[in-house]
Amino acid sequence: MKDLDIKKTTNKQAKQKLREKLLKIRNSFSKTQQIFNAECILTKLMTYPPICSGQHIAIYCSANGEVDTTIMLKKLQQMKKKCYVPVILSTKNREILFAPWDEAREMRANRYGINEPVCGFDEYICPWHLDVVLVPLVAFDLMGNRLGMGGGFYDKSFLNRDKWHPAPLLIGIAHDFQCIAEGVPTDSWDIRLDAVFTEKNIYTFI
């Protein structure tokens, strides 16, 4: 048990150190660079077969230097896709569901300053009903491992997706510098991605 506690502490420290390093770089990006990278990623996404065939697509509302998803949401809606964004139900239990999004819908910032749609509970969709989920991240590696902000919301929501038939495809959205070739520190509860799209590359892990 002591060895497990040491490993858990070491992983936590390693994750935080890597997170701080990459967030500093990400936050230094200019608005022009952000827009350019988002447009490059959008071009790749629009010809990706799972996006073209999927109907229920979830995508995060960007914040804190994440790749801007505004143009992606608008383009997906133009393609007649049903778009959803995550809504935090409980920070204590790390619970999120996905609420429908469209340009006319009222949005409200949550406790983290991230926009969420204002809607009734009956409008939410469960994670296992989605076809594709575009996931934010701080870092990823060439095995599809993901480092997030540390809240664990996506990890808890999709940890058991291998039991869902069909399971939604998880696609990370990132700047290319966020790829860590030597690997990111992981724990047993961390979800793996199926692919990551950056302004330079499409990384696939399935």
Side-chain angles (χ1 to χ4, degrees):
M1 181 62 72
K2 187 175 181 179
D3 289 343
L4 288 176
D5 290 341
I6 291 172
K7 183 178 184 297
K8 192 178 295 184
T9 301
T10 302
N11 260 5
K12 185 177 181 180
Q13 292 172 339
K15 285 181 174 182
Q16 187 57 28
K17 185 176 180 180
L18 180 59
R19 190 178 287 119
E20 289 173 358
K21 176 184 176 180
L22 294 187
L23 286 178
K24 185 176 181 179
I25 298 172
R26 196 175 75 179
N27 291 335
S28 71
F29 275 31
S30 67
K31 184 66 175 177
T32 300
Q33 185 66 57
Q34 275 280 9
I35 293 171
F36 176 80
N37 287 1
E39 289 176 343
C40 290
I41 293 169
L42 176 63
T43 299
K44 296 179 177 68
L45 279 172
M46 293 308 101
T47 58
Y48 193 56
I51 293 290
C52 295
S53 62
Q55 291 302 309
H56 299 275
I57 299 177
I59 182 168
Y60 64 93
C61 287
S62 48
N64 304 315
E66 293 168 341
V67 174
D68 194 330
T69 57
T70 305
I71 60 172
M72 299 177 197
L73 279 163
K74 291 179 180 178
K75 183 62 177 179
L76 288 168
Q77 190 174 50
Q78 289 170 11
M79 295 170 65
K80 307 301 181 185
K81 307 297 183 182
K82 293 181 180 177
C83 298
Y84 303 85
V85 298
V87 173
I88 296 174
L89 296 185
S90 168
T91 52
K92 180 180 179 181
N93 298 322
R94 295 172 294 168
E95 284 185 89
I96 57 173
L97 287 177
F98 293 85
W101 178 93
D102 61 67
E103 286 194 79
R105 188 174 288 272
E106 180 186 355
M107 303 290 283
R108 184 181 300 157
N110 64 19
R111 62 176 296 177
Y112 299 108
I114 302 169
N115 280 334
E116 297 178 343
V118 176
C119 67
F121 193 81
D122 60 335
E123 294 184 80
Y124 291 126
I125 187 172
C126 295
W128 50 85
H129 289 149
L130 295 165
D131 298 314
V132 180
V133 184
L134 303 183
V135 184
L137 56 87
V138 176
F140 70 97
D141 63 25
L142 298 176
M143 296 295 292
N145 296 308
R146 168 187 177 268
L147 175 68
M149 289 292 289
F153 294 101
Y154 282 91
D155 294 314
K156 183 172 182 182
S157 296
F158 295 98
L159 185 61
N160 296 315
R161 72 184 179 113
D162 58 334
K163 299 176 182 177
W164 306 343
H165 300 288
L169 197 70
L170 301 184
I171 300 177
I173 302 295
H175 305 290
D176 203 70
F177 83 88
Q178 294 173 266
C179 178
I180 308 300
E182 61 269 27
V184 300
T186 60
D187 290 294
S188 59
W189 55 82
D190 293 325
I191 58 168
R192 290 181 71 251
L193 301 168
D194 298 306
V196 174
F197 280 62
T198 75
E199 76 280 8
K200 295 182 179 179
N201 296 297
I202 300 174
Y203 301 85
T204 55
F205 314 112
I206 54 175

